[in-house]
Amino acid sequence: MTDLSKIIPITDTLQRPLSDLRISVTDRCNLRCTYCMPREVFDKNHVFLPRAELLSFEEIERLAKSFIGLGVQKIRLTGGEPLLRRNIEQLIAMLAKLSTPAGKPVEITLTTNAVLLSRQAQSLKDAGLARLSVSLDGLSDETFSRMSDSAVPVKTVLDGIAAAQRVGFAPVKVNMVVKRGVNDHEIIPMAEHFRNSGIVLRFIEYMDVGSTNGWRMDEVVTAREILERIAAHYPIRQVDPNYTGEVAERWGYADGGGEIGVIASITQAFCQTCTRARLSTDGKLYTCLFATHGADLRSPLREGATGPALTKLIADHWLQRNDRYSQLRQAATESGSTVAPSTKKIEMSYIGG
Ligand code: SAM
Ligand code: SF4
Ligand code: SF4
């Protein structure tokens, strides 16, 4: 058997190391964002995973240890809505104790819609959560309800963000997915609102993830256009990335009003530096957001596989990885053709956004 400790961090066929892990802790959500869980599909007849199918916290911890053994340094908890998973702070506390083979603590982060954040911010902080990203697609209740297909007031989300800042998360990042004709008129109000607030606002190009959101290229507002619209109001300057392969392009207000970012998943694919693995709610390993197939880790786990055996299973998948969907789609779009999705793509709420 290959001695894995000699090839850490493990790299795939395109020389990309395995350094980030996203874990979907639930496939359920208290919102129905039209671009993620459209209500026509995720309605009251939709069958979510039964409890027995979900990985337990102990199972997640065991798999996390294997991933860390192969090079993972950051773990992001996501979903679905991760704050709906009961006792999520216990899982955070378990993961926050883990360290890399070099003895460095593993960074635990979480992405949430913040509907339940006000009451949970303190316990998340106390459990050892390092960073927090909040999704918010508009400031007016009307826009927010069109995007999230819910009656939740924006104030609930803003209160959650304020609670996160109060308990010491810094900087809180706010992510806004931009859909032309639906919420792009809120780009400037959002920029204005979060300027000088210590919050980093990041605009995300609407992506063709999953197969239920009816994605169309003409609904994408490109990162370039977003930056141009902001620059017409406030002078901005590009800022160096925090680290190589950072997904968001960083920009700062020239007057010192803080930082914004753009995530150009559609127009500037970042597959070349993609170091992310995803673990679905029921324990499947996906090596790309646009994957059609995941490797079952839960069965061997429940059948008694040892830690080294699980590590080897994960390593074998990463060593064979050649995913670069966005890069191929971008090339196809630029040449006027389309990338035909071979089979049904996996939904983001299940695979973990
Ligand atoms: N429920 C949590 C939330 O909304 O923050 C975590 C899960 S959600 C799937 C993670 C992120 O994926 C959110 O920021 C959401 O806006 C983003 N997302 C979902 N579908 C998307 C799409 N089609 N295009 C771009 N971003 C998307
Ligand atoms: Fe829920 Fe997040 Fe998807 Fe919106 S983006 S439906 S909040 S999982
Ligand atoms: Fe990574 Fe796949 Fe997205 Fe490319 S398309 S950046 S490989 S998740």
Side-chain angles (χ1 to χ4, degrees):
M1 199 202 269
T2 324
D3 180 358
L4 292 171
S5 65
K6 297 215 168 70
I7 50 169
I8 288 168
I10 195 163
T11 51
D12 66 9
T13 58
L14 302 173
Q15 305 312 315
R16 297 170 296 189
L18 168 56
S19 53
D20 302 84
L21 174 64
R22 297 195 168 196
I23 305 177
S24 174
V25 293
T26 176
D27 59 339
R28 292 165 194 261
C29 190
N30 40 8
L31 298 183
R32 283 293 178 275
C33 302
T34 54
Y35 53 77
C36 177
M37 295 179 76
R39 204 176 284 280
E40 309 83 83
V41 179
F42 296 89
D43 58 9
K44 59 178 180 344
N45 298 321
H46 181 78
V47 184
F48 289 98
L49 289 168
R51 206 179 157 69
E53 301 257 323
L54 268 56
L55 291 182
S56 68
F57 290 171
E58 287 69 25
E59 288 171 334
I60 292 177
E61 184 192 31
R62 280 197 64 200
L63 288 175
K65 282 182 180 163
S66 287
F67 279 100
I68 292 166
L70 292 169
V72 162
Q73 303 182 14
K74 281 190 215 159
I75 296 180
R76 177 168 296 277
L77 300 179
T78 175
E81 174 45 43
L83 299 188
L84 286 179
R85 180 77 189 249
R86 204 174 309 147
N87 301 327
I88 184 76
E89 65 285 354
Q90 279 175 18
L91 174 65
I92 293 168
M94 287 159 78
L95 298 177
K97 288 197 187 88
L98 304 179
S99 50
T100 66
K104 223 176 102 193
V106 175
E107 189 177 52
I108 313 298
T109 66
L110 179 139
T111 304
T112 174
N113 60 30
V115 174
L116 300 171
L117 186 56
S118 285
R119 62 178 110 132
Q120 294 188 35
Q122 187 68 59
S123 55
L124 296 174
K125 183 78 186 157
D126 294 346
L129 188 69
R131 288 187 294 118
L132 194 67
S133 301
V134 171
S135 306
L136 174 63
D137 298 333
L139 276 182
S140 72
D141 283 336
E142 196 202 336
T143 308
F144 184 67
S145 100
R146 277 176 83 193
M147 290 297 278
S148 66
D149 196 1
S150 80
V152 173
V154 172
K155 183 172 182 309
T156 307
V157 178
L158 293 177
D159 287 350
I161 295 172
Q165 285 193 294
R166 214 165 33 244
V167 302
F169 287 107
V172 173
K173 288 183 180 152
V174 170
N175 294 327
M176 172 182 183
V177 174
V178 184
K179 221 176 149 180
R180 191 179 298 284
V182 186
N183 71 335
D184 58 326
H185 62 289
E186 295 247 10
I187 293 173
I188 301 302
M190 286 280 283
E192 248 162 41
H193 183 85
F194 290 110
R195 257 169 63 80
N196 297 308
S197 67
I199 283 168
V200 176
L201 174 62
R202 303 192 305 180
F203 300 92
I204 304 181
E205 288 180 349
Y206 170 40
M207 280 191 284
D208 54 334
V209 73
S211 26
T212 59
N213 63 12
W215 181 88
R216 294 200 329 253
M217 186 65 203
D218 60 8
E219 289 178 324
V220 176
V221 182
T222 66
R224 282 307 113 201
E225 182 179 339
I226 293 169
L227 289 170
E228 278 164 21
R229 289 204 208 175
I230 293 175
H233 283 73
Y234 305 105
I236 49 174
R237 296 200 190 107
Q238 193 160 2
V239 178
D240 286 341
N242 283 312
Y243 51 89
T244 323
E246 190 172 24
V247 166
E249 191 179 287
R250 301 172 66 204
W251 291 76
Y253 292 111
D255 66 358
E259 184 178 326
I260 57 169
V262 283
I263 302 183
S265 337
I266 298 291
T267 57
Q268 288 163 56
F270 30 78
C271 300
Q272 265 169 338
T273 53
C274 179
T275 55
R276 258 159 277 136
R278 290 181 155 86
L279 185 60
S280 70
T281 318
D282 57 354
K284 293 204 177 74
L285 163 64
Y286 289 89
T287 53
C288 178
L289 189 51
F290 297 89
T292 52
H293 177 76
D296 178 20
L297 299 180
R298 191 188 63 194
S299 299
L301 186 67
R302 291 192 178 168
E303 282 155 14
T306 60
L310 291 168
T311 307
K312 163 121 182 26
L313 201 58
I314 298 165
D316 287 345
H317 279 278
W318 195 265
L319 288 167
Q320 287 169 30
R321 177 185 190 239
N322 63 2
D323 306 286
R324 50 191 186 107
Y325 175 89
S326 291
Q327 207 179 333
L328 298 175
R329 188 238 305 99
Q330 187 183 335
T333 312
E334 283 165 7
S335 69
S337 70
T338 51
V339 180
S342 48
T343 43
K344 200 167 177 278
K345 285 184 279 175
I346 303 300
E347 295 305 317
M348 200 160 181
S349 49
Y350 158 78
I351 195 176

